[in-house]
Amino acid sequence: MQGDVQRRTAQGLPSDDGFIQIELSKQPVPYHIVRCFEDHITPEDSRSLALSSCWLACRCTDVMRGRLAPSMLQRNLTANCLTKLETMSHLLENHLQNHRELREQFCFLPVVPHQILGMFVSPVTLELTAHLTIGRTHYWANLVFKRVGSRWMCTLADVG
């Protein structure tokens, strides 16, 4: 995509910057991914992971608020991560039963991504933060990906 660039931070760490198009966002979503090491990770790899992590952050939020079945993400999340997400969904559902106004704001409006920030902390671990909104409320989703063979699997998904 035009505008994607590879840079070096002030500390000399390589970084990849660009924009991804996401269905629910009115504007392209910017991403910034830094590497703590020199490796063969390309700007295309960073862009692809930014796109898939943005999609996954939105879907994890939908699972948490009961709009998507957890089984829909079993190919993307480890079993432990999926179990924790399901537990959070159940806890949130119990809380929202007593707070109707919060349910209306949180459960019915779409998740809109605004920014992706990430860091490869090792050649096999990527930590990302996605800035999301639901209505006027801002949320941050933290995701950790581990490379398992040739696939990147989400091992932690935390939305708050």
Side-chain angles (χ1 to χ4, degrees):
M1 171 176 217
Q2 278 186 330
D4 294 349
V5 295
Q6 187 170 23
R7 298 186 175 144
R8 289 204 175 266
T9 64
Q11 296 80 16
L13 298 174
S15 69
D16 298 313
D17 300 274
F19 297 90
I20 53 177
Q21 293 285 0
I22 300 294
E23 180 179 311
L24 291 174
S25 183
K26 293 178 184 176
Q27 302 172 337
V29 177
Y31 68 88
H32 175 75
I33 298 179
V34 177
R35 290 185 296 285
C36 292
F37 54 89
E38 293 289 338
D39 195 17
H40 61 278
I41 295 170
T42 67
E44 293 79 21
D45 294 334
S46 291
R47 183 181 188 291
S48 176
L49 283 164
L51 183 61
S52 61
S53 65
C54 187
W55 175 87
L56 191 58
C58 293
R59 294 306 163 268
C60 285
T61 304
D62 282 342
V63 166
M64 189 182 73
R65 59 195 192 137
R67 292 183 58 162
L68 184 68
S71 61
M72 298 297 291
L73 299 181
Q74 68 187 26
R75 289 182 39 84
N76 306 95
L77 280 70
T78 61
N80 187 35
C81 183
L82 194 57
T83 299
K84 290 179 181 180
L85 194 60
E86 287 175 308
T87 300
M88 180 60 186
S89 177
H90 292 299
L91 292 171
L92 185 61
E93 176 60 31
N94 288 336
H95 177 73
L96 292 176
Q97 285 179 355
N98 298 324
H99 297 88
R100 206 135 179 78
E101 71 288 342
L102 184 58
R103 173 184 289 287
E104 290 172 4
Q105 292 175 343
F106 187 68
C107 293
F108 299 115
L109 297 172
V111 178
V112 179
H114 295 278
Q115 183 179 34
I116 302 292
L117 302 170
M119 180 177 289
F120 282 99
V121 295
S122 79
V124 295
T125 305
L126 172 63
E127 297 182 6
L128 284 146
T129 300
H131 175 212
L132 311 169
T133 56
I134 299 174
R136 293 183 178 169
T137 307
H138 294 263
Y139 295 93
W140 292 92
N142 295 309
L143 305 173
V144 175
F145 291 89
K146 300 268 185 189
R147 189 181 324 189
V148 179
S150 62
R151 294 182 57 200
W152 288 93
M153 293 292 292
C154 184
T155 60
L156 178 129
D158 181 32
V159 180

